[in-house]
Amino acid sequence: MAVKVIARNRRARHDYHISDTYEAGIVLRGSEIKSIRAGQISIQEAFVRIDANSLEAWLENAHIAPYDPASRLNHDPLRPRKLLLHRREIGKLWDSVRKKSMTIIPLQVYLKGGRAKVEIALARGKRQYDKRSAIKARETEREIQRQLRKDW
């Protein structure tokens, strides 16, 4: 099955330690899927909320731009969207959020088999010094690669 990535959360791997990832379907309205296929989605500020009473996962703060040809039948760009996960997956996520003080963030939105999917991750926020050390390690690696290419 071909996968076409529509949107990525680039800051996620910089700001968080990622532990587990899950694939979830998204419950969408007609104009929303058309807008997603046109690439009009932003997940930079998005997060996942678990409703403990009903054990449902919701994608909050994801901006899907209104689809112009839909005119008056358009959707609310920031409405919460239900995520389709197995109950045991939602239970694991809820336990981790509640007990280990972790958060759930979306990493990317993509089309797989004609359906919109979101890759979500269980994550813990990085401290400032963690971010600095990661940047330093990345720059050191780049410098080593530059020197190796130069020697060839």
Side-chain angles (χ1 to χ4, degrees):
M1 232 181 266
V3 174
K4 180 182 176 189
V5 176
I6 304 296
R8 280 201 166 97
N9 189 351
R10 293 175 170 217
R11 300 281 308 167
R13 295 195 191 273
H14 178 71
D15 291 340
Y16 296 95
H17 292 288
I18 307 297
S19 60
D20 294 333
T21 60
Y22 298 89
E23 178 182 72
I26 314 172
V27 177
L28 297 171
R29 299 210 172 113
S31 62
E32 290 175 328
I33 188 63
K34 291 177 181 183
S35 188
I36 287 175
R37 285 192 176 121
Q40 301 295 315
I41 182 171
S42 172
I43 56 172
Q44 299 301 327
E45 301 294 321
F47 62 95
V48 176
R49 177 181 55 85
I50 304 270
D51 185 11
N53 297 330
S54 59
L55 273 183
E56 292 179 340
W58 296 86
L59 181 64
E60 301 274 345
N61 239 13
H63 186 274
I64 299 177
Y67 186 65
D68 288 335
S71 65
R72 63 182 178 84
L73 301 174
N74 249 324
H75 59 275
D76 177 22
L78 290 174
R79 78 173 183 89
R81 291 159 182 95
K82 186 176 179 179
L83 295 179
L84 304 173
L85 289 161
H86 291 284
R87 191 164 294 278
R88 67 179 175 277
E89 291 176 334
I90 295 174
K92 284 181 190 176
L93 289 169
W94 172 243
D95 286 341
S96 296
V97 167
R98 190 170 45 114
K99 293 178 184 172
K100 300 177 186 173
S101 68
M102 298 180 94
T103 187
I104 308 167
I105 55 170
L107 296 179
Q108 64 183 0
V109 175
Y110 53 92
L111 295 174
K112 182 177 177 183
R115 308 210 185 245
K117 304 281 186 178
V118 62
E119 182 181 13
I120 60 174
L122 198 56
R124 176 167 291 149
K126 284 185 182 178
R127 304 260 187 232
Q128 188 66 34
Y129 57 83
D130 290 336
K131 293 178 191 178
R132 275 189 234 128
S133 65
I135 291 170
K136 185 176 181 179
R138 188 171 56 236
E139 286 177 358
T140 305
E141 183 64 30
R142 280 186 189 155
E143 189 61 36
I144 291 169
Q145 292 300 322
R146 260 189 227 123
Q147 290 298 324
L148 289 174
R149 277 192 301 240
K150 195 178 195 182
D151 292 342
W152 275 70

